Amino acid sequence: QVQLVESGGGLVQAGGSLRLSCAASGHTFRLYAMGWFRQAPGKEREFVAAISTMGGTISCADSVKARFTISRDNAKNTVYLQMNSLKPEDTAVYYCAADRRIGDTRVFTRAREYDYWGQGTQVTVSS
């Protein structure tokens, strides 16, 4: 198993930027495909971005594609979500997710495809 801890959330004005980090435990981080999801009050959890085990492939939701960037540093056991030009509608709890995918270079966009989740970090964007 792997433990995930998100950080970097907070309060920011519209148009501002935040970089979220997700730190993973263990020595097999490179074997996990990673994803970011978010959930606003009263809404279902939705896909934000995903990255393959070695970072060679990424996928972003249409709603954030032009503004958010996902990346990973396997040497630091960390995946990042750089969020620029933030909008009030980006307000949500952001969750980091991991799924062990040995020898698999695909990305995964459905929550059900991930076995491990962090506790979430709150992002609030004011107008």
Side-chain angles (χ1 to χ4, degrees):
Q1 65 176 28
V2 62
Q3 286 77 49
L4 307 173
V5 180
E6 301 97 333
S7 63
L11 176 64
V12 64
Q13 292 184 320
S17 299
L18 285 173
R19 189 176 78 159
L20 305 184
S21 298
C22 174
S25 66
H27 299 91
T28 58
F29 179 70
R30 69 186 186 281
L31 305 180
Y32 289 83
M34 304 295 296
W36 286 99
F37 294 78
R38 66 186 183 186
Q39 188 167 22
K43 301 182 68 176
E44 295 184 352
R45 188 169 299 186
E46 66 174 346
F47 168 74
V48 176
I51 189 166
S52 61
T53 53
M54 302 303 293
T57 306
I58 61 172
S59 180
C60 295
D62 289 342
S63 60
V64 305
K65 189 173 183 178
R67 301 180 295 117
F68 292 8
T69 302
I70 187 171
S71 62
R72 67 189 295 160
D73 186 340
N74 285 353
K76 295 182 177 180
N77 276 27
T78 303
V79 62
Y80 305 96
L81 184 68
Q82 179 66 48
M83 305 185 294
N84 298 323
S85 300
L86 283 162
K87 305 175 181 179
E89 49 263 46
D90 294 318
T91 296
V93 176
Y94 284 70
Y95 296 92
C96 175
D99 198 65
R100 194 172 187 182
R101 295 283 179 173
I102 300 175
D104 194 339
T105 59
R106 295 177 296 172
V107 294
F108 305 92
T109 61
R110 292 181 170 87
R112 66 167 58 186
E113 296 176 306
Y114 292 89
D115 290 332
Y116 305 100
W117 295 83
Q119 81 289 348
T121 185
Q122 176 71 48
V123 172
T124 302
V125 184
S126 62
S127 60

